Amino acid sequence: MKNQPQTHRDGNSRKHADILTKLRSAFVHYFEQLVDDCCMRIDLEFGLQLARDREKAGKEQHKKMLEYLRQMRKDLKRSYLLKVEEGFDNNSRKMAQNPSDDINLSGVSLAKDELVEEEYAVAMIIRNCEHRFHEELHRFNKQLALQMGLPAVSDRHNPIAPERLVHALVAVVAPLKLNTGFRITLYKTFDANVFSHLGFIYRELSQQFESERLAQQTEFDAVSKAAEPDAAVAEPSNTAFRQLQQKLALWRAVQAPSPYDRIPHAGNVSYEHFEVKHALEILQQGYGKTQGGEQNKPLKWQVIKQLEALDFSDELKCLSEPDEDVLDLVSLLFTEIQQEAALSESVKSALLQLQIPLAAACLRQYSFFINKDNPIRQLIDNLFAAGLFLNGDDYGDRLVYERVVDIIRRIVKEQGSSLAFWITESGEFSHYLEKHMQRSRIIEERSLQVMQNKEALALSKKAVAETIDGCLRGKELPAAIVDFLRKVWQDVLLVDYVRKAEEPELWQASVRAMEELIISVLPPADESERKQILKFLPGLIQELRNGLKRISYDKNAQSRFFKDLAVWHIILMDKKEKKPESSAETGRITTADDSEEINAALMPECTDPQLANLAEDSWVAFDLESGRQWGKLVWQSSATGMLHFVGKNGVKTIEISAAELAEKFRGRQAARVELNEKTITERVLSNLMSL
């Protein structure tokens, strides 16, 4: 009796170890891809993260650091993954210890303030992850506790909690030859490319746990279910479905002769419900194999052929009218899917596998066709919507595709017989798709904001250039002055123009200073004008200095400019009123007319009808060397005429000029894709009901 508690504990330990082993395999499958992608992009991400601080670090040091990171990126990936996997090998006691105990930051040679800065950066990454993925992490901990038979599992017991993953990275990065700033940048790089995807991994693992528990429950109830009648009780054919049958009969009459014509009845006895479902199960087992001439016909022909092969009685039987209509409606639905231009061939191939399971699930369950809230119908609509416009070379789109394929694989395995399974999958995928679309909208809004900011900057530069051209037009000035206005003072004008709404006086003062500078370097017409110039010179010099200070202009270059300017003013203000001789050439002014010619060359008028009717949110299919790629038009620059397209996940994919796009339209390398706002089931059913 004394050995029983010990035996029980040993059994629990083995069970926990087995669960952690399976969890490690599933987690690493997702996590390794993220880490590998992050390490391969580490030099690019460092450039984005450091931004202006790159100059402070020094170009040579920055170059050496990037070379060092490229050399050790493989070791970094391998060491980090090994460190993460160590957490799965610990028992419950070790997992309950503080993860930070394994990290010896005291051995790192850092000044006190640098240590605080690094620890603060690490703590903020952990806190942000726990805040962003609180719901997903709580759900995963709950599922892990159920698997292990524990009352609860905290983040400290969870080997893939954000705190453990981040501290594992700190332990791996500590020995690297990087200073504090570079280490913090490396943490931020992993945060942007790895830790930001933890929510998706937690949801995937939670769903796997739930599916396993559902499968175990199904096996547990198998004996009792076998003794009970079919849980999916056949629904009576109601008025709404009979109206749909009448519309289908009208459609058959219009299409006749066609494979959808009613099968001639060889007898008055109909096949039983279980016989039709059995035939569908056999067809599913042989899915993809050659089935003679029936393989290109509606599903009912394959079913009737299978039923005839299984029927050994002498009694002539036929499909009942409701069963035949259900099979035809399902066939019409998947014909519509097969003809959808916004689906890639791989997505179509995956969705077409659902035809037989859906027919089995809908057989005598007429609510699928008459109730929009039917969970089976919602799942089909959501899977179809998720598969639209997926680009195979985009990482985010590949994750969506893999999610769709995984659900289809599980449904095919169930053969469509379990209504409860369809309902569970429908609810889970609806939640996933809603979250994914929300993230995509946020990313798209950010992409659009970036493009609008670039557009605003381009327009501001254009307005500044036109202002300078207006002041210089018709005047021959020293080349040095023209060069100063176009290369230096235009930066002052640009800064003031951007802030024109908040501080209009700065813009007015900068323009006035430019006008006075031009007047001051031209010979005065008479004594009165000379006195006027002398009067505003002190204020002009001060305004020029103020403007150059706002853009942090180089002090040495500034000193040289003002010395040269003083010489010019002394010569010009000489009472002899001679035009100063100078070896400097006068600068030619590019007029506004020249700019318009340049813009016309950049933005030629396009008369292509597809381009003329291309509105925002329109989808275009591009045939590239890498394959077909879809893009949604979200922005067209009024300054350059460039069109910006984003993928379904909101990330910018293609930037192209109007002329280039028109050429692609004419060469059939691009085409507009009309997006039907209706769900896939609404398309088929509304077409019938409109007759």
Side-chain angles (χ1 to χ4, degrees), residues 33 113 253 334 371 470 522 526 594 606 627 679 688:
Q33 299 178 41
D113 56 343
F334 283 89
N371 183 7
L522 292 174
D526 49 33
D594 296 330
C606 293
T679 65
L688 291 176

Side-chain angles (χ1 to χ4, degrees), residues 16 92 142 144-153 157:
H16 293 174
S92 299
K142 182 178 178 181
L144 184 59
L146 290 173
Q147 288 286 326
M148 290 185 166
L150 299 174
V153 170
H157 290 78

Side-chain angles (χ1 to χ4, degrees), residues 59 80 127 258 315 325 455 466 495 517 532 607:
K59 294 183 178 179
Y80 182 45
R127 184 182 302 174
S258 78
E315 193 175 22
D325 290 343
E455 168 75 359
E466 290 175 351
V495 169
L517 175 62
Q532 185 178 0
T607 58

Side-chain angles (χ1 to χ4, degrees), residues 19 45 102 115 148 162 187 373 379 432 463 501 520 525 532 588 639 653 671 691:
I19 292 172
E45 290 293 337
D102 298 330
L115 176 60
M148 290 185 166
Y187 301 149
D373 297 328
L379 180 58
Y432 163 78
S520 71
Q532 185 178 0
R588 182 184 180 275
T653 55
L691 294 176

